[in-house]
Amino acid sequence: MTLKRSEARKICMTILYQIDIYSERNINFNIDKVINENTPINNDFINQIVKGVLENKEQIDSLANKYMKDWTIDKIDKIGAAIMRIAIYELKYTETPQIVAINEAVELAKEYSDENVRKIINATLDKIIRD
């Protein structure tokens, strides 16, 4: 069984959301266990994205906050933050084409966030690639 990248990103979003909740509530967790609970197969892409976002979270959040107007990444909903972090990670640390990273983020935001968060994500990612 193989996953499409867009399906894998949705799983990454879920995992990062779950980890954000665990962290906020001081619940101990094992990253590999959380990944395994959320994905039907061992997937290198999911492992790379989730672990990469968590390892670079400080830099990713700092970059997001630099380009967000009147907002910070921790003020948007946790799902929106997870989507933004995945996209920024892909833009900065992977070979994913910029247009793909942004389109995937916007599509996830359309499905899982409200219109304001979708606009913030789109505008922030757009500023990051222009700079």
Side-chain angles (χ1 to χ4, degrees):
M1 178 180 158
T2 56
L3 286 174
K4 291 182 184 158
R5 285 272 168 108
S6 52
E7 293 167 336
R9 284 183 185 89
K10 193 180 291 187
I11 293 170
C12 291
M13 175 195 74
T14 303
I15 293 166
L16 290 168
Y17 169 80
Q18 194 172 340
I19 287 172
D20 206 8
I21 297 287
Y22 287 162
S23 298
E24 184 180 83
R25 297 185 180 157
N26 296 314
I27 297 170
N28 289 328
F29 62 90
N30 173 293
I31 293 170
D32 291 316
K33 202 179 254 186
V34 177
I35 291 170
N36 291 336
E37 289 168 359
N38 283 283
T39 182
I41 55 170
N42 186 6
N43 185 292
D44 291 337
F45 181 75
I46 291 172
N47 277 307
Q48 177 198 359
I49 297 292
V50 170
K51 291 175 180 177
V53 167
L54 294 173
E55 286 165 15
N56 297 287
K57 189 172 179 237
E58 210 172 284
Q59 296 93 315
I60 290 168
D61 286 3
S62 172
L63 189 61
N65 292 339
K66 178 180 171 185
Y67 292 100
M68 292 175 85
K69 190 172 183 274
D70 304 325
W71 286 85
T72 57
I73 196 161
D74 55 349
K75 285 189 178 159
I76 62 174
D77 64 89
K78 289 185 184 319
I79 290 286
I83 294 167
M84 177 100 74
R85 288 177 178 126
I86 291 165
I88 292 173
Y89 177 78
E90 283 197 83
L91 288 172
K92 291 294 174 188
Y93 301 96
T94 73
E95 300 295 315
T96 304
Q98 292 179 335
I99 191 75
V100 172
I102 292 173
N103 284 345
E104 290 283 332
V106 170
E107 287 306 311
L108 279 173
K110 278 182 191 172
E111 196 172 340
Y112 293 99
S113 293
D114 68 25
E115 190 178 344
N116 289 335
V117 172
R118 183 183 55 76
K119 286 179 180 174
I120 290 167
I121 290 170
N122 196 18
T124 304
L125 296 175
D126 192 52
K127 288 176 191 166
I128 288 170
I129 64 166
R130 287 176 193 269
D131 203 10

